[in-house]
Amino acid sequence: MQLTWPAPNRKIGIIDALALTGLIGLLVARFIPVARLPFWGCALRRTTGWPCPGCGLTRVADRMSHFNVAGAWDANPLGTIAAALFMAAIVVSALHLLFKVPLPEVHLTRREKVWIRVGIVCAVVINWMWVAAKAKFPEYVGG
Amino acid sequence: MLGRAPTAWERRAELGAWTGLWRTWKEVLFAPEAFWKTLRPDGPAQDALFFGWLVAIAGAVIQAPLLALQIAGHWEEFRELFSTLSSHPADWRGDLDRLFSSGSSLVMVLILVAGLVAYPLSAVVTAAINHLFCLLFGAGKYGFWATFRVVAYASAPLVFSAIPVVGSLAGMWGLVLTAWGLARIQETTVGRAAAAVFALQVALCCCVCGGLGFGLSAVLASFT
């Protein structure tokens, strides 16, 4: 992995776009009681009883926007990590846009890219197994 | 990047704004392969945003009266929905009643303004999520703004979004156009680009299943 640091700049890029995405999501979760809307909910879980990989993400957004990290982790661990990364992106983007703090450019080798993808897929699968186990067999996993 | 050139919309100073807009809209919808193949990844993002925004405005203008009538027709259900939410002060309900009364011009204006304000935000958010998946699937060669340009130009079918059934098909065509455009602009395979666009929907399969379920029930309801 190679990191290169550009000169101080305010060039808008993917981190700033992700920060905006996270900011909108967290503000909505903070001020709008989305989960209480009568039509809100997962059709798959309601019909089959099995959760999807994204089950609990509304609760994660709601709890993270109230800084309840433990509660968010309980709802969906990978979602909590994603929400934390979005929050980090908000801080980094603010520093970048306000104080011209340069964002490093990351260059990965082909092998590193493959390992990152494999890691993400594994994380999604393990997270789904955990969420499903909590929903279906709470007596074994303390759900 | 051989053979790539500014779009008709980006040459509006020379062609005229209306001709540029019309030709670009037509090319995106009906000749996407030729359009995406010649779209510059490093072209001005603000031009693409402006194009998408104008299309969104056209969509909102068509959508506003239809949506206002729909809301007025379903107002009893909305009233029920609001009563299940946090306790609204009683005087709010009167305001909401007036706001959503049949043919309320205020509702139309509100929908129009919301659509106009929301478009740039939704374009950035959509492009950010799509580009994140592009990076994951190795389809991000020309960076975030190339993805953003595709998302903005692929908004062309938004004009039809208000029309029942056609609107859903147009939405799906918009997704297909985005995948197609990403494949051409980021110079990757259609499979990778499609994976980047549809990954989130597939990962959160409940949304797809839910969407299909709700869509199917809406179609069935319209028959019965």
Side-chain angles (χ1 to χ4, degrees):
Chain A
M1 189 201 294
Q2 272 189 330
L3 285 180
T4 50
W5 291 88
N9 67 83
R10 284 198 180 99
K11 210 174 144 194
I12 298 173
I14 179 71
I15 298 293
D16 305 294
L18 287 172
L20 179 68
T21 307
L23 186 66
I24 293 171
L26 289 169
L27 284 176
V28 167
R30 176 70 184 80
F31 295 109
I32 300 175
V34 182
R36 288 164 69 187
L37 292 170
F39 52 79
W40 197 260
C42 178
L44 181 77
R45 188 165 180 177
R46 233 189 348 252
T47 321
T48 65
W50 285 91
C52 76
C55 197
L57 287 184
T58 310
R59 278 169 285 151
V60 166
D62 186 7
R63 290 169 189 176
M64 283 299 275
S65 66
H66 290 85
F67 300 105
N68 176 6
V69 181
W73 185 267
D74 187 53
N76 189 312
L78 193 58
T80 307
I81 294 170
L85 289 174
F86 273 114
M87 287 169 130
I90 294 168
V91 175
V92 169
S93 173
L95 291 172
H96 170 61
L97 295 176
L98 292 173
F99 304 111
K100 290 189 177 180
V101 174
L103 300 179
E105 284 162 17
V106 184
H107 304 278
L108 301 170
T109 63
R110 207 179 171 82
R111 198 181 161 83
E112 286 166 341
K113 283 180 187 170
V114 170
W115 278 112
I116 285 176
R117 283 169 201 150
V118 169
I120 289 172
V121 171
C122 289
V124 169
V125 171
I126 292 168
N127 184 67
W128 191 7
M129 285 162 67
W130 171 253
V131 170
K134 275 196 86 172
K136 297 297 283 185
F137 314 105
E139 63 275 21
Y140 297 116
V141 285
Chain B
M1 283 200 281
L2 277 174
R4 297 198 185 264
T7 62
W9 172 244
E10 285 157 16
R11 290 188 291 128
R12 61 189 178 279
E14 164 199 333
L15 299 170
W18 173 248
T19 311
L21 181 69
W22 171 246
R23 268 177 56 180
T24 304
W25 184 79
K26 232 171 36 175
E27 283 169 19
V28 175
L29 277 184
F30 305 112
E33 176 64 11
F35 180 81
W36 296 129
K37 257 182 144 172
T38 52
L39 185 69
R40 293 178 62 95
D42 58 346
Q46 66 272 23
D47 277 350
L49 174 67
F50 195 17
F51 171 84
W53 209 345
L54 285 175
V55 171
I57 291 171
V61 167
I62 298 168
Q63 201 167 14
L66 290 171
L67 207 57
L69 287 172
Q70 231 172 9
I71 289 171
H74 290 88
W75 176 229
E76 277 311 309
E77 291 155 41
F78 273 91
R79 190 200 293 265
E80 227 169 90
L81 189 149
F82 283 125
S83 68
T84 60
L85 291 175
S86 58
S87 53
H88 289 277
D91 51 321
W92 275 38
R93 293 197 184 141
D95 291 341
L96 287 169
D97 269 333
R98 276 191 294 280
L99 192 67
F100 290 106
S101 59
S102 186
S104 165
S105 53
L106 186 59
V107 172
M108 285 197 271
V109 173
L110 282 177
I111 291 165
L112 200 65
V113 171
L116 300 187
V117 174
Y119 180 79
L121 287 179
S122 73
V124 172
V125 169
T126 309
I129 293 169
N130 277 339
H131 192 67
L132 199 62
F133 281 96
C134 279
L135 292 175
L136 195 63
F137 289 102
K141 187 177 172 185
Y142 287 107
F144 170 70
W145 292 109
T147 303
F148 179 83
R149 275 166 64 75
V150 170
V151 167
Y153 278 118
S155 305
L158 270 184
V159 173
F160 304 112
S161 58
I163 305 167
V165 183
V166 177
S168 319
L169 293 175
M172 283 183 233
W173 184 233
L175 284 178
V176 172
L177 284 176
T178 308
W180 198 336
L182 283 176
R184 295 294 173 257
I185 207 166
Q186 300 284 12
E187 292 175 3
T188 185
T189 62
V190 175
R192 280 171 190 257
V197 172
F198 295 104
L200 191 65
Q201 280 89 337
V202 173
L204 306 176
C205 57
C206 65
C207 299
V208 177
C209 297
L212 286 176
F214 287 126
L216 195 64
S217 55
V219 170
L220 289 175
S222 71
F223 280 118
T224 53

